[in-house]
Amino acid sequence: KARFDWENPFRLDTLLTEEELAISESARQYCQERLYPRVLEGWRTEEFDKSMLREMGELGFLGPTIEGYGCAGTSTVAYGLIAREVERVDSGYRSAMSVQSSLVMLPIDTFGTVEQKERFLPKLATGELIGCFGLTEPNHGSDPASMETTARPHPTKKGVYLLSGAKNWITNSPIADVFIIWAKLNGEIRGFIVERSQVEAGSGGLATPAIKNKTALRASITGMIQLDEVEVPAENLFPEIKGLKGPFTCLNSARYGISWGAIGALEEAVKLARNYSLERKQFGHPLAKYQLIQKKLAEALSDAAYGQLASLQVGRLKDNGQATPEMISAIKKQNVDNALKHSRKLMEVFGGNAASDEYHIARIAHNLFVVQTYEGQSDIHALILGRAITDNLIFHCLK
Ligand code: TGC
Ligand code: FAD
């Protein structure tokens, strides 16, 4: 006889392959046993332990969908399931991982030359090299088309470009070895692979100061990228890709992973609030007995369950080449908005204890505010969807 399992409300397991189930299980085990014990210290000190990326590399969690170069070659759904497990622990840890996978390894695999792939992918897959992705600038976040960072041919050295500009709020930048930098060359957006060791041995001009005292994502490291006439050899330019399609192709993958990650964070919030409400007594009974408390849990769990199915379906379509950016905008926006809304509501269950980081719930909610902002703020995804729904009606009317 079928029984309801609040930890698996719609029996997601029945829709996954054997391989996806095994990957999800090993990710859960690693994240709970190895990552959870480190998260409070990481949050308090804002220190990111780089060895995590090495450990994830050993387990095949970096660039998992890539074929070859030491990568696992999994389905897109498996990538999402890994993100869900990592973000159950902390959104910042998922950030570090998804930047490496979707925003650094994916563009090298998709747009890179054979030499670029062979040179960078194996070491990025093991976590020996750490990568970051520079799109956002101090003056241009939601509107990256207006970026000011430029590349120009070196006036005297043949086959060398000079990069100048600044990128802001960049995950992993202070510890990165490899930087994917989007810059305008003759007015057109192009992608460059900048290597810290090469720049330091050569022209110099690269600085990556950390942004400290963050109110969220404290367990991951974030910084700027300052480029002052940095010399980059022509072989580090992605040869073909031009325009916003380059960075947005990477964002399609990262936003997809975030849609699963946010569900992991929400599931953790439900579990923490449920367990707390069963133990905490007021007016002679556990909080869990009161139906106003149950309603908060019920609404959060329902949205987590719906979110799983939506991300699963878009992942399957992505593997079949049938997913569109609008679908990804819909699941990124909806899942993150729901996770943020419910985790804020579930903080109430903890009363004053929500103000202590030892109860984790406030860390989850604060993190989700940033998750709602990066990779396209939720209203930006509404704009993308609105444009598609109305067939760009506003634009046509104004013409
Ligand atoms: P628009 O005219 O819409 O498009 C320009 C060109 O780009 C193409 N394109 C896409 N291609 C592939 N996938 C997509 N999702 C694409 N979206 C657009 C489009 O076809 C067009 O190509 P072409 O050949 O016709 O020129 O451009 P717009 O300037 O009007 O864009 C508006 C908007 C809102 C879509 C866009 O600017 C946007 O999404 N803004 C949000 C910016 C953003 O998401 N930044 C993320 C920075 S990275 C980050 O946050 C990492 S956090 C990582 C972590 O820690 O987890
Ligand atoms: P703005 O673009 O200034 O937007 C501010 C507000 O205005 C938002 O609510 C937005 O929705 C709204 N808005 C903007 N335009 C419109 C409009 N046309 N209509 C209605 N409302 C609008 N970037 C990277 O490139 N790489 C990274 O690794 C990276 N990591 C990050 C890590 C952290 C911890 C954070 C906080 C950010 C990170 N980002 C990264 C940057 C992130 O992508 C940007 O913060 C995000 O794209 C929003 O840009 P902005 O902060 O400049 O906000």
Side-chain angles (χ1 to χ4, degrees):
K1 186 167 172 260
R3 286 195 58 202
F4 183 70
D5 175 3
W6 68 271
E7 289 187 280
N8 189 12
F10 289 168
R11 295 293 314 272
L12 179 68
D13 56 313
T14 62
L15 299 168
L16 303 177
T17 66
E18 291 286 317
E19 186 185 76
E20 287 162 351
L21 281 170
I23 291 169
S24 177
E25 186 44 45
S26 79
R28 183 169 304 196
Q29 196 181 344
Y30 164 72
C31 294
Q32 294 298 311
E33 289 176 8
R34 306 288 304 281
L35 292 188
Y36 225 124
R38 292 188 242 186
V39 71
L40 257 190
E41 182 70 7
W43 173 267
R44 287 175 183 168
T45 60
E46 286 190 280
E47 296 287 341
F48 178 74
D49 177 359
K50 285 204 281 191
S51 64
M52 265 174 223
L53 286 168
R54 288 274 196 153
E55 293 163 9
M56 289 183 191
E58 266 170 39
L59 292 164
F61 295 166
L62 301 179
T65 55
I66 294 172
E67 301 280 351
Y69 307 101
C71 302
T74 69
S75 69
T76 295
V77 169
Y79 168 59
L81 294 168
I82 296 168
R84 173 181 173 223
E85 293 309 326
V86 178
E87 199 152 350
R88 247 187 238 285
V89 179
D90 192 81
S91 301
Y93 291 165
R94 196 268 309 132
S95 254
M97 180 204 74
S98 53
V99 165
Q100 180 94 351
S101 297
S102 288
L103 299 183
V104 177
M105 296 176 71
L106 180 135
I108 294 175
D109 188 50
T110 311
F111 306 127
T113 61
V114 174
E115 291 74 30
Q116 288 169 353
K117 292 182 206 193
E118 285 173 351
R119 193 143 145 247
F120 295 107
L121 286 178
K123 287 185 180 168
L124 287 163
T126 58
E128 192 180 330
L129 289 179
I130 296 178
C132 72
F133 177 87
L135 181 65
T136 305
E137 300 188 350
N139 297 326
H140 310 283
S142 301
D143 176 24
S146 301
M147 71 172 63
E148 295 166 50
T149 301
T150 57
R152 65 186 172 93
H154 195 289
T156 54
K157 294 184 188 168
K158 205 162 177 284
V160 175
Y161 290 101
L162 288 173
L163 264 62
S164 291
K167 301 287 178 181
N168 203 20
W169 285 112
I170 305 302
T171 301
N172 294 348
S173 84
I175 56 166
D177 307 291
V178 176
F179 302 72
I180 304 296
I181 300 290
W182 301 96
K184 281 184 181 162
L185 176 63
N186 300 324
E188 224 168 10
I189 296 175
R190 303 293 299 269
F192 293 83
I193 309 171
V194 177
E195 294 170 82
R196 190 191 290 274
S197 59
Q198 197 175 57
V199 175
E200 285 176 354
S203 66
L206 173 71
T208 56
I211 299 172
K212 291 306 229 182
N213 306 318
K214 287 180 291 179
T215 56
L217 275 261
R218 291 174 57 82
S220 66
I221 183 157
T222 320
M224 291 191 76
I225 307 173
Q226 293 160 343
L227 303 142
D228 181 12
E229 305 266 275
V230 170
E231 289 183 14
V232 182
E235 61 259 26
N236 284 23
L237 168 68
F238 293 139
E240 306 287 345
I241 189 73
K242 292 178 184 167
L244 270 184
K245 193 163 181 264
F248 279 138
T249 299
C250 315
L251 292 174
N252 290 337
S253 168
R255 289 166 173 174
Y256 170 77
I258 287 176
S259 80
W260 276 106
I263 294 303
L266 176 55
E267 289 175 294
E268 182 63 15
V270 170
K271 182 174 154 195
L272 290 168
R274 171 195 179 268
N275 291 348
Y276 184 87
S277 72
L278 285 165
E279 280 174 19
R280 174 78 175 169
K281 286 189 180 155
Q282 286 298 291
F283 302 99
H285 298 288
L287 293 176
K289 182 177 161 52
Y290 301 117
Q291 287 167 323
L292 286 175
I293 299 284
Q294 291 176 14
K295 183 168 183 275
K296 293 178 208 235
L297 294 168
E299 289 176 349
L301 186 75
S302 303
D303 278 337
Y306 273 69
Q308 289 170 358
L309 296 189
S311 290
L312 176 72
Q313 168 65 358
V314 174
R316 294 274 180 252
L317 291 174
K318 200 162 181 293
D319 277 335
N320 294 336
Q322 291 178 286
T324 70
E326 292 82 4
M327 295 177 194
I328 291 168
S329 282
I331 55 172
K332 196 272 182 181
K333 173 180 159 45
Q334 193 71 10
N335 287 2
V336 177
D337 285 356
N338 280 333
L340 175 61
K341 175 180 78 181
H342 291 301
S343 61
R344 278 176 170 161
K345 202 78 193 140
L346 290 169
M347 280 174 74
E348 294 167 5
V349 173
F350 293 78
N353 282 337
S356 161
D357 63 7
E358 286 177 15
Y359 289 85
H360 299 287
I361 188 74
R363 174 175 56 81
I364 293 175
H366 289 313
N367 280 343
L368 285 166
F369 171 76
V370 168
V371 178
Q372 192 199 42
T373 300
Y374 64 32
E375 305 252 5
Q377 204 272 346
S378 273
D379 283 349
I380 297 299
H381 289 293
L383 294 176
I384 293 169
L385 282 164
R387 190 159 70 172
I389 295 165
T390 57
D391 197 17
N392 214 348
L393 197 57
I394 296 170
F395 182 69
H396 290 310
C397 291
L398 288 175
K399 252 182 158 181

